[in-house]
Amino acid sequence: MVQDVINQQKNERDRLLSAHFIPRDAKLNLDSGLINVIIGPRRAGKSFFAVHTLNGSRFAYANFDDERLIATENYDEITDAIDRVYGNPEILLFDEIQNLQKWELFVNRLHRQGRKIVITGSNSNLLSGELATHLTGRNFPVYIFPFSFNELLNSSGTGESENAKTLFLDLLEKGGYPEVASGKAAGRDYLQMLFRDTIYKDIVTRYKPRDPAMISKLAELMIAGTGSPLSLRNLSAVTGYNQRTVSKFVLYILNTMIFFRVPRFSFKIKEQQISAGKTYLIDNGYLSSIGFNPSANQGKKLENLIASELYKNSYKTGMSLSYWKKDYECDFVLHQSGKVTEIIQASADLSNPKTLEREMRALITASEDLQCDRLTIITTNEKSVRSFEWYGRKREITILPFTEWVSKIYSLP
């Protein structure tokens, strides 16, 4: 019985391998001696990435989103069937492993036996914060998000061209989820379905809140407040829940990885951790699909896209991301090892001189405070270098279109 299932799934694996694959800015580390754990929001392409990355090696595939496998009481039957079907494979790929009861004990046992293991699963059971508990420090996390600009541009094979501008506009409005980016699914309907599915499977099913509809309402309010400081007091007033309950629900929502948090900058780590922080979406498609006017606020969409690209790239570079606010406010501060490396403003349209002056004033003030002279304004299409003086403080400020700026951040080591 189990062997029949593994045989059928081998055919599924081979069909996945025959499908077109867009390379991702992520790598497995199979020589580390650790369990490779692929983490990311639902439907971002984790399983597809795993299968194609392992292509060419002797790997077995078992998908636990199958009632016949998870009904197996003796887990040795699963590994025995895998070894018979695949001839003692070098690597085990376990997909949706969280569906198996006590999966962490099973995986840890195989790891102690010297098996190389790669696992994927839904966020509700494979959250990064829980890995240390489940796998006792034996894991190597690999993050897969909806496609970045760089991943899609490289896959087009056309390089920096008019295609880059078209791709930018698509990401700005539709986002980069694989089904949407490939044209296989209509963006708005697909993302609404994915949003509901994520809320239900990653939060409602797991935590069983008394009012499931309130979780969706909170998430929609967070989408509407993208790029603004998260106010538990305001969310409490709107929902009628006390701030403690709202804080708990917000944490559940953040853990789905649809959202991410950008803290207020401080040289003191503790102050960053306790700041309200701003929330952004991992994919711009949600801005146009859930609780938001699709034609509203081009500047907000650009800001979210920039935040998303910086956040995804931070897993490659180790760069930390914050925002700065004192008398003025700057959208993004990049810092590493205690040193600020760049201060960024997002502005879709600088045609109004007052807008340009406001952005430059904020950058110069932040530059003075943070001791950083690399100042950038990211726009939709303008490119120039401006010299600006404010109360005797003079700086050069670089203005770049998104397509040119984003290529620079992915060229960093």
Side-chain angles (χ1 to χ4, degrees):
M1 169 67 170
V2 174
Q3 186 169 330
D4 290 341
V5 175
I6 297 298
N7 258 317
Q8 291 173 15
Q9 292 188 356
K10 185 175 185 293
N11 293 330
E12 295 173 12
R13 182 201 74 158
D14 293 343
R15 283 196 295 271
L16 287 174
L17 284 171
S18 66
H20 176 64
F21 174 63
I22 295 177
R24 309 303 298 262
D25 286 331
K27 294 181 180 179
L28 298 177
N29 189 349
L30 300 172
D31 297 324
S32 64
L34 301 173
I35 300 165
N36 282 241
V37 185
I38 303 173
I39 306 167
R42 286 184 177 273
R43 308 303 299 172
K46 300 185 293 293
S47 305
F48 204 59
F49 162 78
V51 168
H52 281 268
T53 302
L54 294 173
N55 191 16
S57 61
R58 293 178 52 250
F59 80 98
Y61 173 75
N63 185 350
F64 290 91
D65 196 16
D66 189 315
E67 78 283 358
R68 296 169 297 176
L69 276 191
I70 61 176
T72 305
E73 295 183 1
N74 182 356
Y75 294 171
D76 286 338
E77 291 182 26
I78 298 173
T79 50
D80 288 346
I82 286 173
D83 287 339
R84 286 193 295 271
V85 170
Y86 287 95
N88 298 307
E90 178 187 4
I91 302 165
L92 303 176
L93 170 56
F94 292 151
D95 202 5
E96 300 293 348
I97 187 68
Q98 81 284 346
N99 291 325
L100 194 66
Q101 290 288 326
K102 298 182 179 180
W103 65 265
E104 64 273 18
L105 299 179
F106 175 50
V107 169
N108 276 325
R109 175 164 63 86
L110 292 175
H111 181 255
R112 289 194 299 270
Q113 293 172 359
R115 308 294 292 256
K116 288 185 177 181
I117 303 170
V118 178
I119 62 176
T120 78
S122 74
N123 311 322
S124 61
N125 288 78
L126 286 180
L127 299 171
S128 57
E130 297 177 348
L131 291 178
T133 300
H134 285 323
L135 302 178
T136 57
R138 302 187 183 98
N139 65 88
F140 178 81
V142 179
Y143 292 87
I144 295 295
F145 299 106
F147 285 122
S148 69
F149 179 89
N150 187 61
E151 288 170 332
L152 290 175
L153 185 63
N154 287 343
S155 73
S156 70
T158 58
E160 293 289 344
S161 64
E162 188 63 28
N163 181 65
K165 186 174 182 180
T166 301
L167 175 58
F168 160 60
L169 294 174
D170 282 345
L171 277 178
L172 194 70
E173 299 296 334
K174 301 176 185 178
Y177 271 95
E179 293 292 318
V180 176
S182 66
K184 294 179 181 178
R188 186 177 179 84
D189 292 342
Y190 176 80
L191 289 169
Q192 287 177 348
M193 177 276 295
L194 181 58
F195 176 79
R196 293 192 298 267
D197 196 44
T198 299
I199 294 298
Y200 179 75
K201 291 183 178 179
D202 285 357
I203 300 177
V204 174
T205 300
R206 185 180 190 198
Y207 299 106
K208 298 178 174 57
R210 287 179 298 170
D211 185 3
M214 188 55 65
I215 300 292
S216 293
K217 183 175 182 179
L218 269 174
E220 290 177 9
L221 289 169
M222 289 170 65
I223 290 176
T226 296
S228 301
L230 186 66
S231 171
L232 296 179
R233 179 181 298 177
N234 290 344
L235 291 175
S236 176
V238 172
T239 62
Y241 283 99
N242 62 51
Q243 290 187 39
R244 183 176 179 180
T245 300
V246 168
S247 177
K248 179 176 65 175
F249 287 169
V250 166
L251 180 61
Y252 295 162
I253 294 168
L254 288 172
N255 282 343
T256 65
M257 300 185 79
I258 286 179
F259 297 87
F260 60 95
R261 177 179 173 272
V262 174
R264 184 171 175 174
F265 179 83
S266 172
F267 285 109
K268 298 178 181 178
I269 295 177
K270 186 175 181 180
E271 288 185 2
Q272 285 200 38
Q273 292 173 339
I274 64 175
S275 72
K278 295 182 178 182
T279 55
Y280 290 93
L281 287 152
I282 198 63
D283 189 80
N284 262 46
Y286 285 118
L287 277 176
S288 301
S289 303
I290 311 292
F292 201 85
N293 185 341
S295 63
N297 206 334
Q298 194 81 346
K300 185 64 66 178
K301 292 179 181 179
L302 176 64
E303 181 182 338
N304 190 84
L305 183 58
I306 293 167
S308 176
E309 293 288 335
L310 288 170
Y311 180 74
K312 294 170 186 175
N313 196 48
S314 69
Y315 285 94
K316 174 185 173 185
T317 64
M319 191 74 70
S320 295
L321 177 63
S322 305
Y323 77 97
W324 176 87
K325 185 174 183 179
K326 287 193 176 176
D327 295 333
Y328 299 94
E329 183 171 325
C330 287
D331 295 322
F332 306 112
V333 175
L334 306 185
H335 48 105
Q336 193 168 35
S337 303
K339 180 177 175 60
V340 175
T341 60
E342 186 174 8
I343 307 170
I344 295 172
Q345 291 285 66
S347 185
D349 184 5
L350 292 174
S351 60
N352 187 332
K354 290 183 178 179
T355 300
L356 178 60
E357 183 176 327
R358 183 185 67 241
E359 304 289 18
M360 288 183 164
R361 284 201 310 262
L363 284 169
I364 285 182
T365 307
S367 172
E368 188 82 6
D369 183 58
L370 302 177
Q371 297 298 297
C372 175
D373 292 335
R374 188 179 178 192
L375 312 176
T376 307
I377 301 176
I378 303 169
T379 71
T380 53
N381 52 28
E382 184 177 338
K383 180 179 180 180
S384 63
V385 177
R386 306 287 186 94
S387 183
F388 188 77
E389 186 172 353
W390 179 252
Y391 282 101
R393 296 167 292 184
K394 189 174 183 180
R395 301 286 191 279
E396 280 196 345
I397 297 173
T398 301
I399 301 173
L400 286 174
F402 174 88
T403 52
E404 187 168 332
W405 165 80
V406 76
S407 66
K408 293 181 183 297
I409 69 168
Y410 283 97
S411 65
L412 294 173

mmCIF file of all heavy atoms in Angstrom, residues 263-264 266-275:
data_model
loop_
_atom_site.group_PDB
_atom_site.id
_atom_site.type_symbol
_atom_site.label_atom_id
_atom_site.label_comp_id
_atom_site.label_asym_id
_atom_site.label_seq_id
_atom_site.Cartn_x
_atom_site.Cartn_y
_atom_site.Cartn_z
ATOM 1 N N PRO A 263 10.925 47.841 11.755
ATOM 2 C CA PRO A 263 10.952 48.602 13.010
ATOM 3 C C PRO A 263 11.436 50.031 12.817
ATOM 4 O O PRO A 263 12.068 50.353 11.804
ATOM 5 C CB PRO A 263 11.937 47.809 13.868
ATOM 6 C CG PRO A 263 12.866 47.186 12.880
ATOM 7 C CD PRO A 263 12.028 46.869 11.670
ATOM 8 N N ARG A 264 11.163 50.867 13.782
ATOM 9 C CA ARG A 264 11.709 52.225 13.793
ATOM 10 C C ARG A 264 13.184 52.150 14.162
ATOM 11 O O ARG A 264 13.565 51.433 15.091
ATOM 12 C CB ARG A 264 10.946 53.079 14.797
ATOM 13 C CG ARG A 264 11.362 54.542 14.839
ATOM 14 C CD ARG A 264 10.396 55.327 15.688
ATOM 15 N NE ARG A 264 10.836 56.708 15.854
ATOM 16 C CZ ARG A 264 10.100 57.641 16.457
ATOM 17 N NH1 ARG A 264 8.897 57.328 16.931
ATOM 18 N NH2 ARG A 264 10.546 58.881 16.579
ATOM 19 N N SER A 266 16.782 52.587 15.637
ATOM 20 C CA SER A 266 17.477 53.044 16.825
ATOM 21 C C SER A 266 18.799 52.302 16.884
ATOM 22 O O SER A 266 18.896 51.147 16.460
ATOM 23 C CB SER A 266 16.664 52.757 18.093
ATOM 24 O OG SER A 266 17.445 53.048 19.254
ATOM 25 N N PHE A 267 19.819 52.960 17.388
ATOM 26 C CA PHE A 267 21.095 52.270 17.571
ATOM 27 C C PHE A 267 21.013 51.254 18.709
ATOM 28 O O PHE A 267 21.893 50.419 18.869
ATOM 29 C CB PHE A 267 22.213 53.280 17.843
ATOM 30 C CG PHE A 267 22.653 54.027 16.606
ATOM 31 C CD1 PHE A 267 22.358 55.364 16.443
ATOM 32 C CD2 PHE A 267 23.346 53.371 15.598
ATOM 33 C CE1 PHE A 267 22.760 56.053 15.301
ATOM 34 C CE2 PHE A 267 23.747 54.040 14.445
ATOM 35 C CZ PHE A 267 23.457 55.385 14.301
ATOM 36 N N LYS A 268 19.949 51.331 19.499
ATOM 37 C CA LYS A 268 19.733 50.374 20.582
ATOM 38 C C LYS A 268 18.764 49.301 20.105
ATOM 39 O O LYS A 268 17.606 49.591 19.772
ATOM 40 C CB LYS A 268 19.182 51.084 21.815
ATOM 41 C CG LYS A 268 20.129 52.140 22.384
ATOM 42 C CD LYS A 268 19.506 52.846 23.573
ATOM 43 C CE LYS A 268 20.452 53.911 24.128
ATOM 44 N NZ LYS A 268 19.846 54.649 25.276
ATOM 45 N N ILE A 269 19.223 48.065 20.059
ATOM 46 C CA ILE A 269 18.417 46.966 19.520
ATOM 47 C C ILE A 269 17.103 46.812 20.283
ATOM 48 O O ILE A 269 16.049 46.582 19.686
ATOM 49 C CB ILE A 269 19.218 45.645 19.551
ATOM 50 C CG1 ILE A 269 20.424 45.749 18.609
ATOM 51 C CG2 ILE A 269 18.331 44.470 19.150
ATOM 52 C CD1 ILE A 269 21.312 44.538 18.612
ATOM 53 N N LYS A 270 17.145 46.971 21.607
ATOM 54 C CA LYS A 270 15.936 46.796 22.411
ATOM 55 C C LYS A 270 14.867 47.811 22.024
ATOM 56 O O LYS A 270 13.679 47.483 21.952
ATOM 57 C CB LYS A 270 16.262 46.921 23.895
ATOM 58 C CG LYS A 270 15.079 46.599 24.805
ATOM 59 C CD LYS A 270 15.471 46.613 26.266
ATOM 60 C CE LYS A 270 14.283 46.261 27.144
ATOM 61 N NZ LYS A 270 14.641 46.272 28.593
ATOM 62 N N GLU A 271 15.288 49.049 21.735
ATOM 63 C CA GLU A 271 14.325 50.071 21.330
ATOM 64 C C GLU A 271 13.696 49.737 19.982
ATOM 65 O O GLU A 271 12.517 50.009 19.754
ATOM 66 C CB GLU A 271 15.006 51.440 21.280
ATOM 67 C CG GLU A 271 15.330 52.011 22.653
ATOM 68 C CD GLU A 271 15.901 53.412 22.562
ATOM 69 O OE1 GLU A 271 16.015 53.949 21.443
ATOM 70 O OE2 GLU A 271 16.249 53.975 23.627
ATOM 71 N N GLN A 272 14.475 49.143 19.074
ATOM 72 C CA GLN A 272 13.909 48.715 17.791
ATOM 73 C C GLN A 272 12.858 47.637 17.999
ATOM 74 O O GLN A 272 11.809 47.628 17.367
ATOM 75 C CB GLN A 272 15.012 48.183 16.877
ATOM 76 C CG GLN A 272 15.884 49.261 16.268
ATOM 77 C CD GLN A 272 16.618 48.746 15.033
ATOM 78 O OE1 GLN A 272 16.072 47.979 14.253
ATOM 79 N NE2 GLN A 272 17.844 49.178 14.851
ATOM 80 N N GLN A 273 13.139 46.721 18.912
ATOM 81 C CA GLN A 273 12.248 45.593 19.123
ATOM 82 C C GLN A 273 10.905 46.012 19.715
ATOM 83 O O GLN A 273 9.876 45.406 19.435
ATOM 84 C CB GLN A 273 12.922 44.555 20.021
ATOM 85 C CG GLN A 273 14.110 43.863 19.362
ATOM 86 C CD GLN A 273 14.869 42.961 20.314
ATOM 87 O OE1 GLN A 273 14.795 43.112 21.540
ATOM 88 N NE2 GLN A 273 15.617 42.009 19.769
ATOM 89 N N ILE A 274 10.915 47.060 20.555
ATOM 90 C CA ILE A 274 9.675 47.458 21.225
ATOM 91 C C ILE A 274 8.911 48.540 20.455
ATOM 92 O O ILE A 274 7.811 48.903 20.842
ATOM 93 C CB ILE A 274 9.936 47.940 22.671
ATOM 94 C CG1 ILE A 274 10.804 49.209 22.664
ATOM 95 C CG2 ILE A 274 10.574 46.840 23.499
ATOM 96 C CD1 ILE A 274 11.000 49.804 24.060
ATOM 97 N N SER A 275 9.498 49.057 19.369
ATOM 98 C CA SER A 275 8.798 50.076 18.587
ATOM 99 C C SER A 275 7.593 49.452 17.894
ATOM 100 O O SER A 275 7.569 48.259 17.601
ATOM 101 C CB SER A 275 9.736 50.688 17.543
ATOM 102 O OG SER A 275 10.001 49.780 16.496
#
